[in-house]
Structure formats: C-alpha cells, structure tokens
C-alpha cells in the first residue's frame, strides 16, 4: 500500500484535490471526518469529554456542543492538554481502523489539515501539498466562506506558513488556477509518479533511473530531499540507526547525477539483513552486495534503491566502522572543504560521462562504464583519506 499524506492551508482546496485523487482510484481517509466520527452520539469519547469538562459540553440532544467544549477546554494549557489527551488517542485508533479496513488498497490518501504542524510527514511514502499562496487563500475565505478578514487572517496565522509546508512536502500541487488546470496536474502526477510508485512498491521493484548526466545544484533541492528521506527512514526504522547524506549531492555547489546517496550505519550485516524487509515496505528494496574498494578488494554491504520514480536514491547499509562508510564520509567532507579537489572531481566526472556516452549503447551500459571509470580516482582518494585500510 502506498501511503500518501495530503495537506494544505485553510482555503487551499484540499477537498477538491482529494476528490480528484479518489476519481483516479485512491482510497481517502479524511482526518476531519474522523474527528467528527469519534465525538458522535454513542461514541465513548463523547462521555469522556462530558466527564472531563462538564455536562455543558453536550447540547439538549446529547450531541457535542463544540463552542461550549472550546470555551471549557481552551481556558488554559492544562485544560487544553486534557482535551488533547482524550482526542488524540481516539483519533489515532479510529484512523488505524480506517487504514486496516482498506489494507488491500493500492493507494491510500490521508487528508490531514495539520500534517506539517503535527510533524506527521515522516509516516508517509509521499506527501502532497495543495499549494495556494496565503493571500489567495485569504481572499477565498472571505469570498466563498463569508469570513470577515480578521477572522480569516487569524486562522491562516495559526497554521504553518507556505515555505514551511513546501519544505516538509515532496510534491506541491498548484491549486491557484482553474479546476481544469488542477485536474491536469493531478492526472499527470498520478500517471508519472503515484501509480508507478504504488506498482513498484507492491512488486518490490526498483524504479528506472534517469539517463546519465549532471544536474546543476541550483536546479535541485538535494539537501531538502535528503532531509525528508532521512526523516522517513528514521521514523520507519524506529530511530535506531544513524543515517548520513553522502555522495556528490551532499556537497553544496557541486553538479551531480540527480541521485541522493545515503548510508545507514548498522552494527553488522545480520542487522542489515534483518532490516531489509522493512526498508522494502518503506519503498527501498535491496539485496546483499559488496563495495568495491579497488585492487580487487571488496567489503560486504547491503544496497537498496528507490521504488519512487520521482526521486532516485542509493541507500547503502554499511557497518559503522567499515572502510566504505569511513571513506564515503571523509570524501564528502574533503569535497566540501577543498575547492580545488571539488573542481578536479567535477572535471573528472564531466570527462568520464562524455567517454561513457561515446562508447555505450544503452543507459545501463553508460552508467556502469561511468562508475567503473572512476575507480582509479577513488582508490587514490582512499589511500589519502583512509590509509589504515591498506594495512
């Protein structure tokens, strides 16, 4: 199951986009609907709220009087914490029931208004932001919902700002234009990324890689991409292992293949093997392989890669004290600190890519030739950076 988090500021049109996703076959779990379900008449939470805040939070029919509950619960931090202590577990458990009910669904979308504010994004394979500038959302609230400007501004200010949401989410869906434009955007996203992602995930199949070439750093957000991926991996693996951004995309200002390289530091390869099924569930299937250290020397590791066609990732599982892990970290730090070596490496990459493209026939052949052609340079760097590995 591909788990998608969907969010957006008040007035952005999340419901419009969620309905479009449902039309394309996704199953929707709506946090607002669940929040109403758990306080409906006959639900245990309703009685608990009356016990905690008094019978005045119920109206004459026995239903929840929301303004009365707000007046009782938001008088101070202690009462607010008591409300949250009752509401959050009930909503969490009901949400889990909805997800379990749709366990066979290929794609499930969780519409959560406060997805970013509640730091929930690491729990999903992909996070979508319905993106509309705050000033446009403000006017929509005034025009379509009849809010006065002061109330609308206050509601917008209590939520995360636009930049915070964009940094937290993987994909932004511009909903500031016409419905037809948004429909076209969603349809393209479904066809090019969401549906292939779901199929790859179900089959534990790695996504196809982009063609060999370098991307200029100003045209990418590698630091942001890596941070989001690492947060998901840490959440999904119980915060148990150190995870590091390595490779060219970890070096500010360096052109690179558009692939995020990460290494997970494990105590031993048995731990790596045990972790493999969970990583596959998170979208990174893998297998036991070896790092080629040069001079016919190898070192065991596990290599995993992305099922998401929209973000290429190399995920290396290495023991914390391995030569591969130490070299990857030292080489990254050298390139960050040494502008001359950074330029030398960039020129090497440009030359080797040109050679690989001139001699290769398929993308796979060119990528393999490119990687192999850099081995002498890496051996030179390993002698310099990890000399004890030659003892």
């Amino acid at each position: 199951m591909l788990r998608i988090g969907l969010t957006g500021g008040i007035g952005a049109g999340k419901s419009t986009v969620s309905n479009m996703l449902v039309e394309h076959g996704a199953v929707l779990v709506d946090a607002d609907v669940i929040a109403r379900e758990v306080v409906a008449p006959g639900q245990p939470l309703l009685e608990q709220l009356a016990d905690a805040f008094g019978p005045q939070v119920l109206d004459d029919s026995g239903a929840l009087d929301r303004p009365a509950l707000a007046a009782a619960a938001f008088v101070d931090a202690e009462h607010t914490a008591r409300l949250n202590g009752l509401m959050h577990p009930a909503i969490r458990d009901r949400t889990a029931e909805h997800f379990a009910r749709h366990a066979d669904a290929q794609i499930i979308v969780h519409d959560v208004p406060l997805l970013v504010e509640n730091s929930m994004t690491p729990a999903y394979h992909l996070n979508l932001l319905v993106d509309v500038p705050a000033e446009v959302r403000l006017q929509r609230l005034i025009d379509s919902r009849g809010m006065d400007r002061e109330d609308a501004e206050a509601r917008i200010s209590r939520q995360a700002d636009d930049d915070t949401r964009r940094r937290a989410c993987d994909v932004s869906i511009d909903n500031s234009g016409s419905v037809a434009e948004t429909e076209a955007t969603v349809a393209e996203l479904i066809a090019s990324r969401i549906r292939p992602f779901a199929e790859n995930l179900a089959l534990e199949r790695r996504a196809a890689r982009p063609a060999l070439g370098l991307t200029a750093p100003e045209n990418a957000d590698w630091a942001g991409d890596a941070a989001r991926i690492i947060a998901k991996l840490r959440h999904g693996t119980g915060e148990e292992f150190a995870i590091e951004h390595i490779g060219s995309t970890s070096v500010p200002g360096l052109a690179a293949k558009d692939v995020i390289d990460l290494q997970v530091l494990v105590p031993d390869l048995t731990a790596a093997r045990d972790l493999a099924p969970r990583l596959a569930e998170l979208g990174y299937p893998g297998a036991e392989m070896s790092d080629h250290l040069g001079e016919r020397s190898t070192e065991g590791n596990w290599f995993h890669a992305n099922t998401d066609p929209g973000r290429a990732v190399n995920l290396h599982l290495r023991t914390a004290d391995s030569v591969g892990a130490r070299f990857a970290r030292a080489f990254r730090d050298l390139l960050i600190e040494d502008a001359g070596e950074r330029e030398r490496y960039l020129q090497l990459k440009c030359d080797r890519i040109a050679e690989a493209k001139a001699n290769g026939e398929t993308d796979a052949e060119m990528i393999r030739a490119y990687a192999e052609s850099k081995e002498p340079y890496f051996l030179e760097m390993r002698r310099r950076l990890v000399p004890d590995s030659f003892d």
Side-chain angles (χ1 to χ4, degrees), residues 122-264:
Y124 303 88
H125 292 104
L126 197 65
N127 291 284
L128 311 182
L129 170 63
V130 182
D131 194 11
V132 176
E135 61 272 15
V136 177
R137 292 189 283 113
L138 173 63
Q139 197 59 49
R140 285 182 179 179
L141 294 175
I142 294 170
D143 294 343
S144 64
R145 299 195 191 182
M147 291 185 185
D148 64 65
R149 178 173 292 273
E150 185 176 346
D151 182 27
E153 288 176 341
R155 294 194 185 202
I156 288 173
S157 70
R158 288 196 292 268
Q159 296 184 337
D161 61 40
D162 293 339
D163 287 341
T164 299
R165 286 199 190 89
R166 289 168 188 151
R167 285 194 300 269
C169 292
D170 305 294
V171 178
S172 292
I173 299 172
D174 183 0
N175 192 34
S176 58
S178 68
V179 172
E181 289 171 331
T182 302
E183 286 177 337
T185 298
V186 171
E188 169 61 21
L189 179 62
I190 286 282
S192 65
R193 187 165 188 178
I194 291 177
R195 189 167 290 123
F197 193 171
E199 292 171 354
N200 291 341
L201 187 66
L203 296 172
E204 297 188 4
R205 178 180 62 197
R206 298 174 188 174
R209 285 302 169 93
L212 181 62
L214 298 182
T215 297
E218 60 269 22
N219 296 328
D221 179 26
W222 291 319
D225 289 348
R228 287 187 292 273
I229 296 163
I230 289 172
K232 293 173 188 178
L233 289 169
R234 285 178 173 158
H235 179 273
T237 57
E239 307 283 347
E240 187 174 353
F241 307 100
I243 306 173
E244 300 174 340
H245 186 192
I246 56 171
S248 293
T249 59
S250 68
V251 180
L254 179 62
K257 291 190 302 176
D258 191 19
V259 180
I260 301 294
D261 275 280
L262 304 173
Q263 64 180 12
V264 181

Side-chain angles (χ1 to χ4, degrees), residues 7-26:
T7 195
I10 184 171
K14 290 193 309 338
S15 295
T16 298
V17 172
S18 65
N19 289 336
M20 292 176 184
L21 292 168
V22 169
E23 289 172 0
H24 284 281

Side-chain angles (χ1 to χ4, degrees), residues 282-354:
L282 295 174
Y284 300 95
E288 190 167 11
M289 300 184 72
S290 296
D291 277 326
H292 294 275
L293 303 179
E295 296 183 333
R296 299 182 180 179
S297 177
T298 62
E299 184 177 57
N301 74 349
W302 278 67
F303 176 77
H304 296 248
N306 55 294
T307 52
D308 177 4
R311 170 34 63 210
V313 177
N314 291 334
L315 188 61
H316 309 266
L317 273 65
R318 295 174 170 133
T319 58
D321 61 350
S322 65
V323 174
R326 290 189 291 137
F327 174 68
R329 188 184 306 114
F331 184 55
R332 174 200 63 197
D333 295 345
L334 173 68
L335 293 180
I336 291 173
E337 297 166 1
D338 189 332
E341 193 60 51
R342 190 164 60 246
E343 287 300 318
R344 179 188 175 207
Y345 183 49
L346 176 58
Q347 188 60 56
L348 173 77
K349 291 199 293 181
C350 292
D351 292 344
R352 296 297 179 265
I353 285 176

